[in-house]
Amino acid sequence: MYRERPAGFAGAVLWTSATTAGAAPTRVLPDGCLDLLWSSRSGLTVAGPDRTAHLSGGGPAERWVGLRLPPGTGPAVLGVPAVELRDRRVPLAELWGDRDVAQLAERAEAAPAEVLTEIVVRRLRAVGGPDPIGARVAAALAAGASVTETAAGTGLDPRALHRRCRHLFGYGPKTLARILRMRRALAMARAGTPLAEVAARCGYADQAHLTRDVRDLAGVPPTVLLPR
């Protein structure tokens, strides 16, 4: 069972999930985001930005509460570049130390959603908010702008944009654009747009190109990810 809702500050999503023992793993698609997580089994954890789909679950029963940070916000909250967390699941204590996290973890046992939100709001307030370039880059690429257009729109040269993207998102702008295009394409397809039209509107060469790209990033073709 998976549910999500706005987290109370711009762009963040609070989600909950509960799995039963031996349930089939859930395929989590890459999105350019970092998540701060609480698990009934592993406590406070950070999910770094993935380049390909991550399979979650499939083991003992577990309850999850997660706060998905808006793209580019993770480094301001966690204090480390996103690229250092890429394709990783890391105990929060590894980043902040056992003593501080132990106190948070004890409180999170009773009210995980409230504690995750409190952590993020407090950390963002302390650093003056996230790097505003992150939201601008993510919005431009999500809308279909090219990397060249995005660099020009943010006033950065291509090398500087690449460095900022690795810090903020965990990978360069080309990879981020590819991931965001896949998510835009799947959203259109789930709304009922035929795949051939989705491919044309999202800038793929054809439907076969769309299928290859989704398979590379998600591990399965788009038809597997659509409602049946």
Side-chain angles (χ1 to χ4, degrees):
M1 181 184 298
Y2 175 88
R3 296 177 180 174
E4 63 178 45
R5 61 178 173 83
F9 58 96
V13 174
L14 189 68
W15 58 267
T16 59
S17 176
T19 60
T20 57
T26 300
R27 188 175 300 275
V28 182
L29 303 185
D31 57 9
C33 298
L34 286 83
D35 287 49
L36 186 59
L37 311 172
W38 174 85
S39 157
S40 59
R41 296 184 61 240
S42 52
L44 292 169
T45 308
V46 176
D50 294 317
R51 286 174 289 184
T52 57
H54 173 76
L55 296 179
S56 176
E62 192 166 10
R63 185 166 66 93
W64 291 89
V65 179
L67 200 159
R68 184 177 309 120
L69 301 169
T73 304
V77 173
L78 300 170
V80 297
V83 69
E84 294 185 11
L85 302 171
R86 187 175 64 196
D87 300 324
R88 298 177 63 199
R89 302 297 182 268
V90 180
L92 186 60
E94 187 176 312
L95 304 180
W96 292 356
D98 292 334
R99 182 175 179 179
D100 289 343
V101 173
Q103 297 175 352
L104 294 170
E106 183 176 353
R107 293 174 51 217
E109 289 287 336
E114 289 79 359
V115 171
L116 293 179
T117 303
E118 175 192 316
I119 290 171
V120 173
V121 170
R122 175 167 49 83
R123 297 280 294 194
L124 287 176
R125 185 180 296 123
V127 299
D131 185 338
I133 287 289
R136 292 169 60 189
V137 168
L141 294 176
S146 69
V147 172
T148 301
E149 292 168 339
T150 300
T154 53
L156 298 172
D157 64 59
R159 289 187 178 181
L161 177 63
H162 186 81
R163 289 194 299 270
R164 293 286 278 278
C165 282
R166 282 173 56 84
H167 178 86
L168 293 171
F169 307 105
Y171 22 67
K174 290 185 178 179
T175 298
L176 178 61
R178 190 177 174 214
I179 287 170
L180 295 177
R181 179 169 68 166
M182 176 195 69
R183 297 190 69 88
R184 186 168 74 252
L186 290 174
M188 290 174 59
R190 287 167 177 154
T193 305
L195 287 175
E197 182 180 344
V198 168
R201 291 173 60 182
C202 290
Y204 294 95
D206 51 28
Q207 185 175 333
H209 180 203
L210 165 65
T211 297
R212 289 194 305 272
D213 214 46
V214 172
R215 190 190 296 273
D216 285 347
L217 294 169
V220 293
T223 50
V224 175
L225 303 170
L226 301 181
R228 299 183 180 180

